[in-house]
């Protein structure tokens, strides 16, 4: 099991920290001494996770704050509150997500739900938090992508899937976008000589509620293929599934622009992995970043 280095004195924000890989990452960061903000859409679920973490680690410093990544107003309120407090942010773990929503839904801002929740919301969160991140001595942003990113394609002609909606394609596009954001942020940090490190991860095939909650939106049910795959595809629990993200967030060996996943692709301890070829297209990444700034109204220039 990956041993998280000493995190005493550090402030960490973990999105989607009420369950799955997010809760596991928050638990282990808190156990290592970090002050952890559980950024969750439903505070009651966050408080339950907080209680579980404190039961396992009575000295844990954990607090719950509401954050709905499918609502840019919520993102602004969350970041404004942290910025007003002024404490440098050492770690941001972009973990929350939604997958395989059966029919097209929209966020509060009119974005396709998977693109908005998985990419545009985390993008706005990350950029808005840059002032706090850059005030920390060695800040790091770790963003969870997916094996599905390998099949993704950024469709600038139908980014919001209004012409044609496919649950799997929309998900793959959103997770490819996450990885491209990670790599472009690493390039920006190098260009501007920021101390910030941007690192990516994917959890392989991890048993969480991600693959169940998405397909049930709007009264849907997990398809027969999804149910069958859950029985026959190698998988692991959140304890191990969180390790690539924890490694990306805390290991001294995780270099900026690195990408980490399970050793045996779907399962196993974390190791460096090669990003999909499309994720390495710097021209597309720059265009996607500019499009995200336009859609969210959140720009790097306005934050610094």
């Amino acid at each position: 099991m990956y041993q998280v280095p000493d995190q005493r004195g550090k402030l960490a924000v973990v999105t989607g920290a009420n369950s799955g890989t997010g809760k596991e990452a928050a638990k282990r960061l808190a156990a290592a001494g970090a002050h952890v903000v559980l950024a969750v859409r439903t505070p009651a679920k966050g408080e339950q996770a907080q209680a579980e973490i404190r039961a396992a680690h009575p000295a844990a410093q954990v607090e719950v704050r509401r954050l709905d990544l499918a609502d840019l107003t919520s993102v602004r309120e969350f970041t404004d509150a942290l910025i007003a407090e002024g404490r440098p942010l050492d770690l941001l773990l972009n973990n929350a997500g939604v997958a395989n929503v059966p029919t097209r839904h929209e966020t509060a801002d009119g974005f396709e739900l998977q693109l908005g929740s998985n990419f545009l919301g985390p993008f706005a969160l990350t950029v808005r938090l840059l002032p706090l991140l850059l005030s920390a001595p060695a800040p790091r942003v770790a963003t969870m992508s997916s094996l599905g990113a390998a099949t993704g394609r950024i469709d600038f002609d139908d980014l919001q899937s209004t012409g044609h909606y496919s649950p799997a394609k929309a998900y793959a596009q959103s997770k490819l976008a996450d990885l491209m954001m990670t790599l472009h942020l690493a390039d920006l940090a190098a260009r501007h000589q920021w101390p910030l490190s941007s690192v990516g991860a994917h959890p392989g095939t991890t048993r969480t509620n991600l693959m169940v909650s998405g397909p049930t939106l709007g009264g849907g049910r997990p398809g027969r293929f999804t149910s069958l795959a859950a029985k026959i595809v190698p998988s692991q629990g959140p304890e191990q599934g969180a390790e690539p993200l924890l490694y990306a967030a805390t290991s001294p060996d995780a270099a900026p622009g690195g990408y980490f996943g399970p050793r045996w692709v779907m399962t196993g301890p974390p190791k460096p992995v090669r990003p999909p070829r499309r994720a390495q297209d710097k021209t597309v990444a720059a265009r996607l970043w500019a499009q995200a700034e336009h859609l969210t109204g959140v720009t790097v220039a306005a934050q610094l």
Side-chain angles (χ1 to χ4, degrees), residues 205 223-235:
T205 309
R224 180 180 295 178
F225 176 78
T226 299
S227 300
L228 179 63
K231 296 178 182 178
I232 64 175
V233 173
S235 63

Side-chain angles (χ1 to χ4, degrees), residues 236-257:
Q236 59 192 3
E239 297 80 10
Q240 198 160 36
E243 293 207 329
L245 185 66
L246 281 166
Y247 192 94
T250 64
S251 173
D253 297 324

Side-chain angles (χ1 to χ4, degrees), residues 1-17:
M1 179 174 283
Y2 173 65
Q3 296 298 314
V4 176
D6 187 357
Q7 301 295 303
R8 283 176 293 183
K10 293 186 177 182
L11 175 64
V13 168
V14 182
T15 68

Side-chain angles (χ1 to χ4, degrees), residues 29-223:
L29 287 171
H35 181 123
V36 183
V37 175
L38 310 180
V40 299
R41 186 177 59 184
T42 308
K45 293 181 179 179
E47 288 161 7
Q48 182 177 349
Q50 179 188 49
E52 291 177 25
I53 293 170
R54 285 180 173 166
H57 305 283
Q61 300 177 70
V62 285
E63 63 174 293
V64 177
R65 300 199 186 200
R66 185 179 184 277
L67 171 65
D68 184 354
L69 291 166
D71 184 347
L72 292 180
T73 297
S74 176
V75 173
R76 185 180 68 249
E77 291 171 348
F78 177 87
T79 55
D80 282 352
L82 280 177
I83 290 169
E85 292 166 18
R87 181 174 175 181
L89 178 60
D90 300 279
L91 302 174
L92 170 60
L93 278 66
N94 288 315
N95 165 80
V98 64
N100 297 322
V101 180
T103 58
R104 189 180 182 278
H105 286 65
E106 291 188 349
T107 69
D109 305 284
F111 306 136
E112 185 277 314
L113 183 61
Q114 294 187 88
L115 185 76
S117 298
N118 296 349
F119 169 57
L120 292 172
F123 171 88
L125 176 71
T126 301
V127 175
R128 283 191 177 277
L129 287 176
L130 278 177
L132 292 185
L133 287 161
L134 296 180
S135 65
R140 198 177 297 196
V141 177
T143 300
M144 188 76 96
S145 183
S146 165
L147 279 172
T151 64
R153 181 187 296 272
I154 306 300
D155 185 357
F156 288 108
D157 293 328
D158 192 19
L159 196 63
Q160 305 290 344
S161 303
T162 53
H164 172 71
Y165 178 76
S166 159
K169 287 182 178 179
Y171 176 72
Q173 175 182 243
S174 72
K175 300 314 284 185
L176 174 61
D178 279 338
L179 185 49
M180 298 186 90
M181 174 183 77
T182 297
L183 299 179
H184 190 72
L185 180 58
D187 287 345
L188 280 179
R191 188 184 316 157
H192 294 288
Q193 297 185 318
W194 296 337
L196 182 145
S197 180
S198 176
V199 189
H202 78 77
T205 309
T206 297
R207 297 184 298 275
T208 69
N209 64 6
L210 179 68
M211 302 306 292
V212 175
S213 59
T216 58
L217 279 173
R221 297 169 59 186

